[in-house]
RNA sequence: GGGGCCGUAGCUCAAUUGGUUAGAGUACCGGACUGUCGAUCCGGUGGUUGCGGGUUCGAGUCCCGUCGGCCUCGCCA
């Protein structure tokens, strides 16, 4: 080692020690006769002093931000009154006797310690500088801790870590695949895995009854603040289990993670709610349970009123549902309400946003209140549990639109009105998801999770009669209103698998073509099995209190899926394309 | 593919809402200074206002297009 200590470990105990430190120049304070340098590495900062006796003042005054240097000197207590309480090494300083500039830095576009964060494009272009920032280091350390804790936990529980292929085969279902052309087989392509789903089921057939993997997954879809084209899952699968076993295993992980990472005691079992209840009460399959403001269904009252917007929505098979914000009516100007209205219209296709304010006398006021009788207004107020000063928002629309719009409104108001402490952590399960959802555009059924998800035993007779009512043995882990993981018990019976394929419109030939290897495997002694995948990037976001998935990943992509540092994706040589049998087209 | 916000000195921002020579802090360069820790003080360099077009006597400001970053709807079994 070029150094004897790190920049974060020297204390009063080290006084009079001769030490060698290496690191980056964080800042310099040049007093002419003496120069002070804060030397930084990932462990901390240490003040390095170049006094006149060192003979190094001239060299030291030429040091600039991010130069990499090595210094040798003795540790001394700082003079009375010059102790720096802000840093752990603030009681001591290094009196330099030798200075070696290991590498001079160009003037950086920004420095890791500057108070104002530069624009994100610049941070991504110079990611190596951005990663020197304390906050990025803390996050990557947190991420490492989370992954290590997971690995350790599953190792203790007899899981076997198995790597599955990155080069796989495209399956048209689900997200868009990233494709990799084959040089050997022209016109044929590998697909990068959206998840190791099929492989892990094969591992169960192979008798490795507890599989786990930290798996990179790829989906070529548009990005969001919490979505990257490549992301990491903690993927696991277990044999001879039911949903309770998988949920229980993850419960234990959550408890341990909360304790080790946040020193938080979590009571088990984690609460569970059905999908139907979540949609009814919160309009979302991953409700944030840190605050109330639940959705309240007023359809039965609304269907009888004169006001066509309300009654018409119900008679057309829709609903009228609302949420209530307690005691903050005065905070909602017409302008603010108009903004919310525009938002639910633009983003969720709502036809409008009705609202009522509870006046001092307890009556409801609204631009539309003249369309309601006093009795009807009273009924709404009673159903909503309205009190003086409350404001209520209603969506009169299809069930789906009411869910989307109100869930989004609830989430937004919850944050804007500070209805919860952002530092709180809430863990829960949402279970019994629908097996199928109907694709209106293509007029066919889709698997809500994937086509290998097992239906509940009692729902089997509904294949022919009401597939929309069938519920899957599925479970999503929800943390603070985010889906932090999801899994299912799989079908291990080929007769049931056939019925699912049939309903999904996948004929036997197509099924063979796409999943033949899995169907074959399931016929050679497949144990009952199921599993789950946890979104590691999101766990880091949630445990780190971060708003942005890019801050959880060392080298993330922009919204257009580009890497600003490497400038990927990039063009390739004609020769490379020729070898692959690929021609590009101009638009 | 749709909606929205943003782009001015290396960086973070301002520019009296279309009006004189585009400013400040910081960084950088030079000078002074032996106890600072956001060092201080003095001086200085630094601009195709993302790019292209248009409107206008006049555009950083308005309009159109385009590139890039972010948020979002669709999409993400």
């Amino acid at each position: 080692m070029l150094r004897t200590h790190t920049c974060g470990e020297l204390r009063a105990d080290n006084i009079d020690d001769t030490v060698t430190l290496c690191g980056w120049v964080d800042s310099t304070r040049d007093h002419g006769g003496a120069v002070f340098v804060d030397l930084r590495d990932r462990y901390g900062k240490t003040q390095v002093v170049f006094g006149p006796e060192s003979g190094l003042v001239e060299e030291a005054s030429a040091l600039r931000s991010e130069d990499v240097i090595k210094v040798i000197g003795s540790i001394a207590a700082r003079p009375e009154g010059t102790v720096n309480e802000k840093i752990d090494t603030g009681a001591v300083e290094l009196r330099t006797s030798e200075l070696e500039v290991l590498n001079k830095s160009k003037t950086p576009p920004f420095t890791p310690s500057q108070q104002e964060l530069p624009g994100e494009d610049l941070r991504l272009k110079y990611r190596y500088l951005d990663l020197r920032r304390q906050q990025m280091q803390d996050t990557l350390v947190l991420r490492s801790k989370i992954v290590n804790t997971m690995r350790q936990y599953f190792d203790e529980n007899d899981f076997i870590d198995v790597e599955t292929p990155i080069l796989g085969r495209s399956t048209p279902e689900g997200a868009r695949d990233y494709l990799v052309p084959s040089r050997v087989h022209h016109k044929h392509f590998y697909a990068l895995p959206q998840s190791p789903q099929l492989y892990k089921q094969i591992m169960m057939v192979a008798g490795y009854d507890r599989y786990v993997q930290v798996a990179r997954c790829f989906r070529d879809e548009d990005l969001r603040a919490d979505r990257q084209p490549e992301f990491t899952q903690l993927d696991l699968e277990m044999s001879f289990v039911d949903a309770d076993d998988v949920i229980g295993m993850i419960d234990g992980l959550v408890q341990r993670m909360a304790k080790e990472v946040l020193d938080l005691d979590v009571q088990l079992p984690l609460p569970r709610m059905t999908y139907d209840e979540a949609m009814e009460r919160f309009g979302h399959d991953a409700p944030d349970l840190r605050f109330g403001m639940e959705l309240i269904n007023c359809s039965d009252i609304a269907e009888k009123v004169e006001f066509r917007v309300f009654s018409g929505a119900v008679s057309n098979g829709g609903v009228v549902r609302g949420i209530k914000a307690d005691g903050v009516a005065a905070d909602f100007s017409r302008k603010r309400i108009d903004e919310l209205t525009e938002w639910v219209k633009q983003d969720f296709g709502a036809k409008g946003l009705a609202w009522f304010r509870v006046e001092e006398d307890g009556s409801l006021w609204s631009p539309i209140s003249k369309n309601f009788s006093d009795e009807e207004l009273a009924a709404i107020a009673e159903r909503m549990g309205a009190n003086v000063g409350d404001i209520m928002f209603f969506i009169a629309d299809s069930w789906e639109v009411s869910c989307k719009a109100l869930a989004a409104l609830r989430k937004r108001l919850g944050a804007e009105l500070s209805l919860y402490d952002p530092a709180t952590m809430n863990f829960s399960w949402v279970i019994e998801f629908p097996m199928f959802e109907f694709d209106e555009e293509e007029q066919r059924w889709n698997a809500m999770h994937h086509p290998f998800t097992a239906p509940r035993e009692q729902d089997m007779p509904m294949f022919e009669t009401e597939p929309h009512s069938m519920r899957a043995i599925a479970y999503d882990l929800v943390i603070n209103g985010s889906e932090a993981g999801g899994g299912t018990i799989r079908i291990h019976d080929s007769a049931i698998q056939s019925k699912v394929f049939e309903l999904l419109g996948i004929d036997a030939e197509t099924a063979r073509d796409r999943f033949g290897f899995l169907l074959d495997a399931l016929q050679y002694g497949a144990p009952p099995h199921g599993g789950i995948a946890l979104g590691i990037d999101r766990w880091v976001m949630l445990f780190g209190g971060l708003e942005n998935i890019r801050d959880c990943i060392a080298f993330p992509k922009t919204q257009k899926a580009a890497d600003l540092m490497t400038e990927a994706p990039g063009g390739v040589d004609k020769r490379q394309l020729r070898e692959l049998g690929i021609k590009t087209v101009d638009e």
Side-chain angles (χ1 to χ4, degrees), chain A residues 394-461:
Chain A
F394 291 89
I395 296 285
D397 219 305
S398 66
W399 168 260
E400 289 74 22
V401 169
S402 80
C403 283
K404 282 182 182 175
L406 286 172
L409 193 59
R410 173 178 179 272
K411 180 180 176 184
R412 178 166 169 173
L413 293 180
E416 288 182 357
L417 300 172
S418 301
L419 299 183
Y420 56 90
D421 175 359
T424 315
M425 296 294 281
N426 183 285
F427 305 90
S428 69
W429 291 95
V430 172
I431 58 173
E432 295 175 6
F433 283 67
M435 276 288 286
F436 308 107
E437 51 192 356
F438 196 70
D439 186 328
E440 293 290 345
E441 255 179 51
E442 306 200 4
Q443 288 292 305
R444 63 185 187 90
W445 291 99
N446 279 331
M448 190 155 178
H449 194 78
H450 60 64
F452 312 106
T453 300
R456 297 190 305 178
E457 186 96 34
Q458 66 266 38
D459 294 349
M460 301 294 262

Side-chain angles (χ1 to χ4, degrees), chain A residues 118-126 564:
Chain A
E120 192 163 357
D121 45 351
L122 210 68
R123 292 175 53 205
L124 292 173
K125 180 174 179 184
Y126 298 93
L564 297 182

Side-chain angles (χ1 to χ4, degrees), chain A residues 305-327:
Chain A
V305 304
E306 279 292 311
F307 187 47
R308 279 296 186 68
V309 171
F310 274 30
S311 55
V314 180
S315 61
N316 284 332
V319 293
V320 175
R321 293 198 291 173
I323 56 174
K324 173 172 61 81
D326 295 338

